[in-house]
Amino acid sequence: MSNTNQACLQTANVSRAAAAWPDFVTTRVAEHEVERVQKRWGGSHLLHGRQPGPDAVHFSSNDYLCLLGEQALVTAQSTAMSRPESELLMSAIFLHGNNPTSRLEHKLAAFTGAEDSLLCQSGWAANVGLLQSIANERTPVYLDMLAHMSLWEGAHAAHARAIPFIHNDAEHAERQIRKDGPGIIVVDAVYSTNGSLCPLADFVDVAERTGSVLVVDESHSLGTHGPAGAGLVAQLGLSRRVHFQTASLAKAFGGRAGLITCPSSFKGYFAMESRPAIFSSGLLHHELAWFDAAADFIVAADDRRARLHAVSGEVRSALAGLGYNVSAGSEQIISLESGTEQQTLALRNALQARGIFGAVFCAPATARDRALMRLTMNACLTAVEIDRLIQVCAEIRDEIGLASWRSTQRLRNAPRARLVADRQASTLVPHEALETAFGAA
Ligand SMILES: Cc1ncc(COP(=O)(O)O)c(C=O)c1O
């Protein structure tokens, strides 16, 4: 090992308890420790600040409708766990006929307004498995700059050309398609970094005009948006015009799985082509039982959806009134766009010192100097908790240097200049590393 790496290793205090790592691993880990943790974050890990105390208020959970611990779901799950007799621990591709997985797939398809659906091990596995199985090296995949990383990873796994378009800009997507030909258009219904809503109808039109396939990730809208929680595609009456919807069920459904809506005829093909489906085991009966009960609960949860949207609107307008630029989004995910990692560290510390815990998003989830604190709302937040968040956000403005944030400065500019700045920024945003790797336009 070189002296430099040895020194890095010592500085980084990397553990040598197990078998010695070769230099290429040591160097990579040590560089992270030295460059990021020590130099940029001053020795404190940006994602891990204080331990939350008993009176902490959490704005980091994706359990939007507060299903975790809900008695009907817990009972359904534990009943299934106590009956393991017919359980087979294997890949779901071997399942056929009438079985608990396919029954739930039909139920969730009916819930979203689709013909059929596929359950996957996670939202990540759903997105990677879908794109990897419908694209190949000859297929252009057009992704919104802010599309979830799992969708980029799916294009990568397919060896497809990933071509980004400006966030929420259907015209730009169409211009890109006119250059490179029909392919797969990939959007999120609600974006996970800033809570912006996709203009879905525009993308459906572009997909139809250009002969492209449209994939919509409904992770942050299934259960929370649309009639009885059926999602944004259903809300807009677009179910028959969207080719595939995907979703993580680790958000409003409160469990660990993913979903793809599709025609029934697609399922046999998927079982032979989707690597996450083939090479990883399927869901267990107690997991299926949870989602079965969750679907019933969600259909009847209009009151919780209404509360979630009311809380989101209230917090958004209060934060805007305090001078935070939350204009990028409109839904239950609210981002404080602090900018650099140092500014985000200061924000995290100021919030946590006052008992407010959000989720730090930084590279690779955002571009390097577009780090942010993501606050996710849920239906069970009390008026006292919301007041506390708003009061804390008011109190810390000088401490965190809110006036100097780039996002705040953008707010002060004329609307036209702001639009241009947002667009310039969005051409830099999150997935630049992958774009470079793919050689995307
Ligand atoms: C939009 C979106 N898609 C997919 C995923 C992946 O979901 P899962 O956590 O179930 O793998 C996430 C989760 O971060 C997400 O936000």
Side-chain angles (χ1 to χ4, degrees):
M1 183 187 305
S2 73
N3 287 345
T4 323
N5 284 349
Q6 186 70 55
C8 281
L9 194 62
Q10 276 160 7
T11 321
N13 197 21
V14 174
S15 165
R16 295 293 304 267
W21 292 339
D23 253 16
F24 65 88
V25 178
T26 310
T27 306
R28 196 166 164 190
V29 176
E31 274 173 8
H32 161 80
E33 280 290 327
V34 172
E35 294 305 319
R36 234 171 157 189
V37 181
Q38 304 298 336
K39 287 195 191 155
R40 261 198 269 160
W41 306 339
S44 151
H45 198 290
L46 183 56
L47 303 186
H48 311 141
R50 294 177 181 230
Q51 280 297 316
D55 66 338
V57 190
H58 293 276
F59 293 91
S60 50
S61 174
N62 297 316
D63 181 17
Y64 296 126
L65 301 178
C66 315
L67 261 58
L68 295 181
E70 196 54 61
Q71 197 50 53
L73 280 64
V74 173
T75 306
Q77 187 172 47
S78 47
T79 308
M81 271 181 130
S82 64
R83 286 198 249 104
E85 307 83 41
S86 58
E87 192 88 271
L88 296 172
L89 191 51
M90 61 178 192
S91 164
I93 63 166
F94 299 112
L95 295 170
H96 60 101
N98 184 5
N99 61 75
T101 301
S102 71
R103 283 199 292 278
L104 182 58
E105 287 173 342
H106 278 114
K107 178 170 176 165
L108 293 174
F111 167 68
T112 60
E115 180 185 320
D116 209 336
S117 77
L118 281 154
L119 280 160
C120 305
Q121 302 89 340
S122 65
W124 179 277
N127 283 339
V128 172
L130 175 64
L131 284 171
Q132 174 254 307
S133 64
I134 60 172
N136 63 25
E137 60 286 351
R138 294 180 304 282
T139 320
V141 180
Y142 301 95
L143 299 111
D144 187 290
M145 305 289 302
L146 295 189
H148 191 262
M149 187 62 86
S150 50
L151 296 158
W152 293 83
E153 192 70 20
H156 186 44
H159 305 289
R161 196 143 72 90
I163 301 173
F165 59 83
I166 293 170
H167 177 52
N168 270 348
D169 190 333
E171 282 175 22
H172 186 230
E174 185 160 3
R175 286 202 300 280
Q176 299 283 63
I177 297 169
R178 298 279 171 218
K179 273 192 270 162
D180 287 284
I184 302 170
I185 304 173
V186 179
V187 296
D188 290 10
V190 170
Y191 283 86
S192 56
T193 41
N194 61 14
S196 59
L197 199 62
C198 177
L200 268 180
D202 296 346
F203 283 101
V204 168
D205 289 343
V206 172
E208 289 175 352
R209 268 200 301 273
T210 60
S212 297
V213 166
L214 181 60
V215 174
V216 180
D217 183 328
E218 289 247 35
S219 296
H220 298 282
S221 44
L222 200 64
T224 54
H225 289 64
L232 198 63
V233 170
Q235 180 177 330
L236 300 174
L238 298 171
S239 302
R240 289 178 184 279
R241 299 173 65 198
V242 170
H243 300 92
F244 297 99
Q245 285 160 265
T246 65
S248 163
L249 299 184
K251 317 287 179 201
F253 274 75
R256 294 210 42 89
L259 189 73
I260 302 171
T261 65
C262 61
S264 301
S265 55
F266 180 71
K267 294 173 83 168
Y269 168 81
F270 189 80
M272 297 308 292
E273 291 291 331
S274 169
R275 291 198 286 270
I278 300 166
F279 295 106
S280 186
S281 51
L283 271 66
L284 295 170
H285 286 179
H286 69 272
E287 295 167 318
L288 300 171
W290 174 277
F291 291 120
D292 200 330
D296 295 338
F297 191 96
I298 284 172
V299 167
D302 276 348
D303 51 344
R304 295 205 186 180
R305 271 184 288 281
R307 171 80 186 143
L308 174 70
H309 295 301
V311 165
S312 308
E314 185 186 337
V315 172
R316 270 188 183 282
S317 43
L319 290 174
L322 292 173
Y324 290 87
N325 184 355
V326 292
S327 63
S330 54
E331 305 306 299
Q332 74 273 19
I333 296 168
I334 305 178
S335 291
L336 307 180
E337 291 185 33
S338 33
T340 66
E341 293 187 351
Q342 282 87 349
Q343 284 169 313
T344 308
L345 191 67
L347 172 63
R348 182 204 76 185
N349 290 342
L351 290 171
Q352 291 189 350
R354 293 162 178 85
I356 301 291
F357 286 75
V360 169
F361 273 41
C362 58
T366 68
R368 186 169 146 168
D369 283 334
R370 299 269 294 189
L372 52 92
M373 175 68 67
R374 190 177 87 160
L375 304 171
T376 45
M377 304 298 122
N378 68 66
C380 300
L381 286 166
T382 64
V384 172
E385 289 169 331
I386 293 164
D387 286 351
R388 182 149 156 224
L389 169 67
I390 292 165
Q391 201 195 324
V392 166
C393 287
E395 196 178 302
I396 63 175
R397 283 176 292 179
D398 288 342
E399 182 180 335
I400 60 174
L402 177 64
S404 68
W405 288 3
R406 262 174 50 198
S407 61
T408 314
Q409 286 164 2
R410 285 206 306 276
L411 258 189
R412 295 203 197 98
N413 299 333
R416 168 81 193 134
R418 192 160 75 231
L419 184 67
V420 171
D422 277 342
R423 289 191 168 188
Q424 279 167 351
S426 73
T427 59
L428 298 172
V429 212
H431 305 293
E432 43 195 10
L434 276 174
E435 285 152 30
T436 312
F438 294 172

